[in-house]
Amino acid sequence: MDDILNRLARCVEYGKTDKAASYPPDMKGQDGADELAKQALEQGIKPDEILEKSLVLAMAAVGDRFTRKEIYVPQMLMAARAMNAAMKHLKPYFQSGETKRKGKFIVGTVAGDLHDIGKNLVAMMVEGGGWEVIDLGTDVSTEKFLKAIDENPGAVVGLSALLTTTMENMKKTVAAIREKHGAMQILVGGAPVTMDYCKKIGADFYSPDPQGAVNYLRQFGA
Ligand code: B1M
């Protein structure tokens, strides 16, 4: 099991999307993230194990290498693409939870921020936890969040931010939601976000990972 998860992690880290991809050259002709994720599932490895023990670790390694300036934006993009190729196989499992929905969860990455891998993981896990997820995507304006909240009374809202610069937009959106929908439950997350920041901007809860989001939502579900 460790072997296939290590190989999958390596594919994601180095942006090897599938067997046909000629990049990186030293992996040419080998299975990529697409094939290995499928094989891992066929071997009976649980989707959450594939996620935690392979994909999330690979993306963390990509981030570290980017910080050390060993790789640049194009390599990050390739890694994200490989991650998505693997996630395509995992997604149906996360989405196949119970048929009866526990409630509605509106989620989006805040204005100015294009990072969606973590937000998508949260959306998938929450959906797998039995919630109907309304995914507003990335670069979501405050107005778009407010419109979705108006259209879905009783929903819980989740905001993701990956950049220290866009955390400021998270603060603005939370303030606008509070002003219009005082008692609304607001969950925040993303790499630079902390519980201290969550409290400071008036959100209700911070989760460092998708499972924390699922656990938090349990108290509100039908
Ligand atoms: Co960007 N990027 N990026 N990037 N990128 C980071 C975030 C960065 C930390 C890299 C670095 O410097 N080490 C850095 C931010 C620095 C900072 O703000 N302090 C950075 C930068 C600078 C940038 C650009 C500005 C680069 C440039 O253009 N010069 C640019 C900004 C574009 C924009 O958004 N306007 C940019 C662009 C990109 C790509 C487009 C190339 C690509 C994104 C592709 C995509 O998302 N579709 C990308 C990537 C891939 C990364 C890294 C390498 C990986 C992010 C990721 O997907 N992580 C990242 C470095 C890193 O994180 N170490 C980096 C894996 C993901 C599973 O983790 O999103 O944290 P994460 O989600 C976690 C938790 O945070 C949590 O659950 C997830 C699973 O555990 N979580 C929530 C997330 N949202 C949640 C919401 C919740 C609850 C939990 O409730 C609602």
Side-chain angles (χ1 to χ4, degrees):
M1 172 173 104
D2 286 349
D3 178 53
I4 192 160
L5 293 186
N6 288 338
R7 283 166 61 209
L8 176 57
R10 193 162 181 273
C11 285
V12 171
E13 187 175 344
Y14 292 94
K16 172 81 172 163
T17 312
D18 54 27
K19 193 169 186 170
S22 53
Y23 180 89
D26 63 321
M27 293 167 88
K28 202 172 171 181
Q30 295 174 21
D31 285 340
D34 188 357
E35 292 84 7
L36 290 171
K38 190 166 176 279
Q39 288 164 28
L41 287 168
E42 282 162 5
Q43 287 181 19
I45 306 174
K46 292 197 185 108
D48 55 344
E49 234 173 331
I50 298 173
L51 183 64
E52 295 299 330
K53 294 186 177 169
S54 184
L55 305 182
V56 170
L57 296 180
M59 291 310 287
V62 170
D64 289 345
R65 289 170 62 223
F66 182 79
T67 305
R68 294 197 299 268
K69 297 193 177 359
E70 292 169 10
I71 60 165
Y72 297 94
V73 174
Q75 285 100 330
M76 283 208 294
L77 267 178
M78 307 225 25
R81 207 173 296 156
M83 171 97 174
N84 286 333
M87 284 309 300
K88 176 183 76 186
H89 298 289
L90 269 50
K91 205 172 171 180
Y93 292 86
F94 290 122
Q95 291 177 331
S96 70
E98 304 162 23
T99 34
K100 188 180 173 314
R101 301 300 180 99
K102 292 178 177 157
K104 289 185 181 181
F105 180 61
I106 299 166
V107 69
T109 308
V110 299
D113 202 320
L114 301 175
H115 295 83
D116 68 355
I117 297 171
K119 183 267 297 168
N120 290 347
L121 293 176
V122 172
M124 273 186 277
M125 297 287 281
V126 168
E127 196 165 13
W131 288 70
E132 179 182 344
V133 173
I134 296 140
D135 188 344
L136 303 178
T138 59
D139 188 16
V140 182
S141 65
T142 298
E143 294 68 34
K144 199 169 173 187
F145 273 112
L146 290 175
K147 185 169 179 281
I149 293 166
D150 282 341
E151 288 168 357
N152 297 282
V156 177
V157 68
L159 278 62
S160 178
L162 260 286
L163 299 169
T164 43
T165 48
T166 57
M167 284 168 77
E168 190 57 31
N169 296 336
M170 178 178 263
K171 182 179 166 186
K172 286 180 191 158
T173 300
V174 169
I177 296 172
R178 277 278 170 263
E179 199 184 323
K180 208 172 167 209
H181 305 270
M184 176 112 207
Q185 285 297 321
I186 308 173
L187 168 69
V188 292
V193 181
T194 61
M195 188 56 96
D196 274 357
Y197 187 72
C198 161
K199 286 181 185 156
K200 198 173 138 198
I201 65 174
D204 294 292
F205 191 71
Y206 156 77
S207 170
D209 51 45
Q211 195 52 48
V214 174
N215 295 344
Y216 168 72
L217 286 174
R218 275 202 189 113
Q219 61 190 302
F220 307 110

